[in-house]
């Protein structure tokens, strides 16, 4: 903090959706400048859905790409459809599309109560663990090199 504090500034929890968007946009713009535009490459989302015969969504994998990395952000499959190979197929398809876009690695995070073993089975390696959660819950950070 500097010696001079700017007057008439206050911290608050009151906000509008536009306030949230403004802060996120400002951070994004800063990060793009700080990485000389690398953050934007390839900059394409990969969203895959798993649907049953009636067209109902029973799973989804939402990924982002930046700095030539593929980030597996949200991944869920209805319990009825787990352990049938759909998860593996979805990860493989996301990785294939990431490689097509120029991504050289993939990364994600998961918790002990989610799927760390699944990701490791898919070739992801743990590079960090946060074990500060209560009840012996751990958060795993995983990565995998992508090859075309």
């Amino acid at each position: 903090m500097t010696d001079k504090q700017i007057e008439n500034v206050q911290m608050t929890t009151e906000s509008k959706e536009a306030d949230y968007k403004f802060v996120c946009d400002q951070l994004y713009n800063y990060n793009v400048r700080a990485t000389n535009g690398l953050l934007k490459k390839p900059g394409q989302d990969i969203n895959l859905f798993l649907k049953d015969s009636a067209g109902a969504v029973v799973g989804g994998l939402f990924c982002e790409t930046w700095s030539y990395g593929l980030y597996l952000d949200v991944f869920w499959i209805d319990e009825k459809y787990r352990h049938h190979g759909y998860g593996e197929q979805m990860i493989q398809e996301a990785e294939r599309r990431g490689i097509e876009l120029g991504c050289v690695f993939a990364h994600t995070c998961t918790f002990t109560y989610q799927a760390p073993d699944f990701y490791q089975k898919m070739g992801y390696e743990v590079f960090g663990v946060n074990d500060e959660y209560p009840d012996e819950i751990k958060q795993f950070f995983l990565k995998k090199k992508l090859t075309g």
Side-chain angles (χ1 to χ4, degrees):
M1 186 170 226
T2 62
D3 292 337
K4 293 183 180 181
Q5 190 169 357
I6 300 174
E7 299 295 322
N8 300 321
V9 174
Q10 65 179 348
M11 188 182 318
T12 180
T13 59
E14 295 176 23
S15 70
K16 300 174 225 143
E17 184 67 29
D19 298 337
Y20 180 87
K21 184 177 178 343
F22 176 78
V23 170
C24 291
D25 288 348
Q26 294 306 305
L27 176 60
Y28 176 79
N29 291 336
Y30 170 83
N31 291 343
V32 169
R33 287 191 312 276
T35 62
N36 294 316
L38 181 64
L39 183 75
K40 294 174 78 170
K41 296 177 181 175
Q44 184 175 337
D45 293 346
I46 299 170
N47 297 324
L48 304 173
F49 294 90
L50 190 61
K51 296 184 178 186
D52 68 11
S53 59
V57 174
V58 297
L61 173 57
F62 307 151
C63 307
E64 299 172 353
T65 64
W66 72 85
S67 301
Y68 293 107
L70 171 68
Y71 181 64
L72 286 64
D73 188 16
V74 174
F75 188 28
W76 169 82
I77 295 178
D78 185 287
E79 290 184 39
K80 178 179 174 183
Y81 295 90
R82 294 179 190 171
H83 308 290
H84 296 283
Y86 298 121
E88 291 92 342
Q89 291 173 24
M90 293 181 83
I91 294 283
Q92 290 168 350
E93 180 62 13
E95 291 172 352
R96 185 190 69 73
R97 290 173 184 240
I99 290 168
E100 281 183 358
L101 293 171
C103 293
V104 295
F105 72 99
H107 60 119
T108 193
C109 69
T110 191
F111 291 89
T112 47
Y113 56 85
Q114 292 177 326
D117 294 337
F118 168 78
Y119 287 107
Q120 290 178 67
K121 178 182 153 194
M122 294 298 299
Y124 287 74
E125 65 178 86
V126 174
F127 69 89
V129 178
N130 179 356
D131 59 3
E132 298 296 326
Y133 292 96
D135 299 329
E136 299 182 29
I137 294 172
K138 294 179 183 177
Q139 182 180 23
F140 298 89
F141 298 89
L142 301 105
K143 65 181 179 176
K144 177 181 179 179
K145 288 187 181 195
L146 298 177
T147 56

